[in-house]
Amino acid sequence: MSTSAEFARGWRTLLACCVGNGAGLSGLAYYSFGVFVIPLTEAFGWNVGQVTVGSSFLILGTAFTAPVVGFLIDRFGAYRVSLASFAALVAGFVLLTRLNGAIATFWGAWLLISLIGGGTTPVLWTRSVGLWFDRGRGLALGLALAGSGLASMFAPSLLTKAILAWGWQAGYLAVAAFIGVVAMPLIALLFVERPQRTVLTSLEDWKVPELHGPEPREALRQAAFWKIAVGFFLVSGVIGGLIINLVKLLVESGMDRVQAAGVAGVMGLAVIVGRVGIGFLLDRLAARFVACVILLLCAAGCQALAQPGLPLWAVSACVISLGLGAAAEVDLVAYLTSRYLGMKHYGRIYGMQLSAFYLGAALGPAAIGYSFNHFGSYGPALGFAVASLVFGAVVIATLGRPPEFGDVASH
């Protein structure tokens, strides 16, 4: 089946995945976290490190649930898992408005959100895309995961204005309202599970061939599994940590909060363009080389961002490079997993990959936040980010050619 036929057949599910990824834990929840850092420090007297630990609980819980979610969607399907998880997520954000000043309550609320919202993460959306697309899988993954780029593009600025006008509680209520009123109905209407038997489509009769790939235990013995996991462990930590601390980092460089949130929104545009562009390249070039170029470009941006007195255009360029790194990381883990380890047990194998990925992302925000508390500057953290990104690029570059898995009836 041609690439155009794949998109004509699967566009509804692709759009639903884009909406779901944007509204889920990896999108709206994650990219809006940073705008609450300053309001919460002002409201309760917490320091930056304490607040950013909340994002670590968010990601850490997701790391634990990723393999479980992978098993559930392999067993019960993505549609029911996603809607149930989104309904719970709405309740979680409403719960955040009841904070009383105890930092442990804040951390516990984010841990709970991460556990109940696990069915809104890329484990679910990338599996769905992987089953619908083969020839155009890279581009389709990029389009689906671009939803988080839309969240990072619009959420910081809009939520900052809402918080300044009505308080931080209004910001959390706005997130809950968007998920419940906009995202969930769209997903319910558009999402279609991949048929598991012969069906008649408007294009042609097609059968889903037998899926291929190693068993999860066998995957753990393959070098490709560990190169992907190790390569993106540190990458996710430094990129995730810088995203959560970005607004504060820009304020420390001399911007006001509204301007900083606006510049942070530029990263959202970079994530959107980057995910679509990187997906396009993945269908045409070796994924390991695409990864190297993007990670090294992001490293260069972090190095430049550590320099004082940068003009606005240069800061924006650095933020764009960070956005490209954010665009590449989850997409590449999904794409590399599907190509090197197949789709037969993708949910569980990718869930294990995301556990390593999210563990790094969980440690990053708090580490960078406490680094700022200790040094009074983000300079040391940016230096560590440069080294980590270069290391990740080198590890991924050592992947060989992937095996051939014909998981979609495209021929």
Side-chain angles (χ1 to χ4, degrees):
M1 182 179 291
S2 67
T3 300
S4 60
E6 286 184 349
F7 278 92
R9 185 189 67 193
W11 70 269
R12 288 170 58 89
T13 296
L14 180 60
L15 181 57
C17 290
C18 180
V19 172
N21 188 62
L25 290 185
S26 299
L28 188 55
Y30 182 69
Y31 284 99
S32 67
F33 190 98
V35 304
F36 291 92
V37 172
I38 295 176
L40 291 175
T41 59
E42 294 174 346
F44 299 118
W46 302 333
N47 63 43
V48 173
Q50 289 176 312
V51 176
T52 54
V53 166
S55 68
S56 297
F57 278 105
L58 163 64
I59 304 167
L60 188 61
T62 308
F64 289 132
T65 61
V68 178
V69 171
F71 170 79
L72 291 175
I73 61 178
D74 280 343
R75 180 76 179 271
F76 301 109
Y79 183 85
R80 286 180 289 178
V81 173
S82 66
L83 290 180
S85 195
F86 269 122
L89 200 57
V90 171
F93 275 103
V94 173
L95 177 66
L96 282 172
T97 66
R98 309 301 297 173
L99 293 174
N100 58 10
I103 190 65
T105 302
F106 179 67
W107 294 341
W110 277 109
L111 179 60
L112 176 63
I113 286 173
S114 72
L115 297 176
I116 62 181
T120 69
T121 63
V123 176
L124 189 142
W125 313 118
T126 60
R127 175 188 181 274
S128 302
V129 169
L131 290 175
W132 277 99
F133 297 88
D134 184 28
R135 289 186 182 274
R137 186 178 295 171
L139 179 58
L141 284 171
L143 290 169
L145 297 179
S148 61
L150 290 170
S152 65
M153 183 177 178
F154 294 107
S157 180
L158 293 176
L159 287 175
T160 295
K161 293 176 181 178
I163 291 168
L164 290 174
W166 299 296
W168 58 268
Q169 295 95 333
Y172 285 133
L173 287 176
V175 173
F178 178 83
I179 294 172
V181 177
V182 179
M184 289 183 65
L186 284 174
I187 294 168
L189 289 171
L190 293 171
F191 193 90
V192 180
E193 293 278 7
R194 180 77 191 283
Q196 298 299 311
R197 60 185 181 275
T198 303
V199 297
L200 178 66
T201 70
S202 59
L203 296 171
E204 62 178 299
D205 281 326
W206 56 280
K207 289 184 178 180
V208 179
E210 182 181 356
L211 301 179
H212 299 283
E215 297 284 335
R217 288 185 180 180
E218 183 184 346
L220 288 171
R221 294 193 291 267
Q222 296 192 14
F225 178 94
W226 292 105
K227 287 182 179 181
I228 296 169
V230 172
F232 284 99
F233 172 77
L234 286 175
V235 169
S236 66
V238 297
I239 291 180
L242 289 174
I243 288 172
I244 294 297
N245 285 273
L246 184 59
V247 173
K248 175 65 174 176
L249 186 154
L250 295 175
V251 169
E252 289 297 316
S253 72
M255 297 182 183
D256 61 47
R257 284 164 55 180
V258 174
Q259 186 182 31
V263 173
V266 173
M267 183 178 64
L269 180 61
V271 170
I272 296 170
V273 175
R275 283 195 163 146
V276 176
I278 291 166
F280 179 83
L281 293 175
L282 288 175
D283 290 330
R284 289 157 178 80
L285 302 173
R288 60 191 185 278
F289 298 135
V290 174
C292 285
V293 172
I294 297 300
L295 294 179
L296 292 176
L297 181 62
C298 186
C302 290
Q303 179 63 39
L305 199 59
Q307 309 306 312
L310 288 179
L312 181 60
W313 68 266
V315 174
S316 299
C318 295
V319 171
I320 288 173
S321 73
L322 184 62
L324 291 176
E329 52 179 5
V330 175
D331 305 51
L332 283 165
V333 174
Y335 187 87
L336 292 170
T337 299
S338 71
R339 290 306 189 199
Y340 284 86
L341 300 167
M343 292 298 301
K344 185 175 182 179
H345 299 285
Y346 176 86
R348 277 173 282 179
I349 295 173
Y350 183 57
M352 291 187 291
Q353 289 284 3
L354 275 191
S355 290
F357 179 91
Y358 283 136
L359 180 60
L363 297 173
I368 291 178
Y370 278 107
S371 172
F372 173 80
N373 289 345
H374 180 75
F375 294 104
S377 165
Y378 284 104
L382 287 167
F384 182 77
V386 172
S388 298
L389 290 163
V390 172
F391 174 80
V394 171
V395 171
I396 298 302
T398 63
L399 285 169
R401 290 177 60 86
E404 294 294 331
F405 293 119
D407 290 334
V408 176
S410 42
H411 301 289

